[in-house]
Amino acid sequence: MTELSVVISGTGRMGRQVAAAVLAEPGMTPAAYIDGLAERGAMDGIPVFREAGVGLDEAKPHVVVDFTNAAWTPVIAKAALERGIPLVIGTTGLSADFMAWLEAETKARGVGAVVAANFAISAVLMMHFAKLAAQFFDHAEIIELHHDGKADSPSGTAKATAEGMVAARGRPFVHPEPEVETVAGARGAELGGVAIHAVRLPGLVAHQEVIFGGQGQLLTIRQDSTGRDSFMPGVLLAIREVLGRRELVVGLDRLLGLA
């Protein structure tokens, strides 16, 4: 069986974690990093390229995995799809315009892509359970907690969780507004009636609580990723699964048979 060759887009902490996971996985090998801000050379013995097209042409991977930012992801996505290379994308904060383009482009070219807000299996199950519970409660709030270096707020997972809850419920949640707000924004952000509170502190990795309230009762669903290695089983699953896809798949739940 031919080893799956994987290019990792991004040389940050998540990119290096993906490279290590791919290197340790039987039947996979990291072919290169591509990072528009990095110096060309090598990192941990893996070649590093700055230009997306040049890197892909030299490495000739089976799959590209991207954990970067919303400005760079469209660049690597365009270069990969033009070459018929499937994509696994874990970058959050992607625009609706880009997602619409990605859906149309993958379908037109018959090339697969997987975009997921969170690759931790426990997080996917948390989101699934939250959608189930959403049908039975009128009030819900989300507290998401991440390290202080996270770029976007709220997290892609929190946003996707709230959107899934509202869709499962079929209407917005009840969002109590304070009569007096002594500090602006104290009730957090709001999406479909779900209040979302973002915590950013050193020492955290990725954590989320979904709290449902009803008459005389509370239901709390909590997920904790204590290390970035928690995302790797989902990333490796997506790498294998995307090869058999000919369209855009949004959410790891679809690969797990939960949607």
Side-chain angles (χ1 to χ4, degrees), residues 141-156 158 185-189 195-209 211 222 224:
E141 306 213 358
I142 293 174
I143 305 171
E144 57 97 338
L145 309 93
H146 284 80
H147 57 91
D148 56 333
K150 185 167 178 59
D152 55 330
S153 180
S155 69
R187 288 287 291 120
I196 304 177
H197 311 272
V199 177
R200 297 290 178 268
L201 290 171
L204 295 168
V205 178
H207 319 260
Q208 182 167 297
E209 287 188 3
I211 307 172
R222 180 176 174 113
D224 295 279

Side-chain angles (χ1 to χ4, degrees), residues 62-208:
H62 296 101
V63 178
V64 172
V65 178
D66 174 74
F67 279 89
T68 54
N69 57 69
W72 174 254
T73 297
V75 176
I76 191 70
K78 183 175 185 294
L81 293 180
E82 285 176 349
R83 292 161 174 78
I85 304 170
L87 289 152
V88 173
I89 299 174
T91 301
T92 57
L94 300 172
S95 70
D97 287 344
F98 169 73
M99 291 299 294
W101 173 87
L102 185 62
E103 182 176 19
E105 196 72 6
T106 52
K107 185 175 181 180
R109 294 181 180 274
V111 180
V114 173
V115 177
N118 200 312
F119 283 89
I121 305 299
S122 57
V124 176
L125 289 170
M126 174 267 296
M127 296 167 72
H128 180 67
F129 297 150
K131 287 192 287 188
L132 295 178
Q135 302 169 63
F136 302 98
F137 290 90
D138 293 327
H139 298 76
E141 306 213 358
I142 293 174
I143 305 171
E144 57 97 338
L145 309 93
H146 284 80
H147 57 91
D148 56 333
K150 185 167 178 59
D152 55 330
S153 180
S155 69
T157 299
K159 185 171 181 289
T161 303
E163 290 170 343
M165 289 161 54
V166 174
R169 174 178 162 81
R171 62 190 187 281
F173 285 82
V174 177
H175 181 72
E177 296 290 350
E179 291 184 15
V180 179
E181 192 175 53
T182 57
V183 177
R187 288 287 291 120
E190 183 262 328
L191 195 163
V194 180
I196 304 177
H197 311 272
V199 177
R200 297 290 178 268
L201 290 171
L204 295 168
V205 178
H207 319 260
Q208 182 167 297

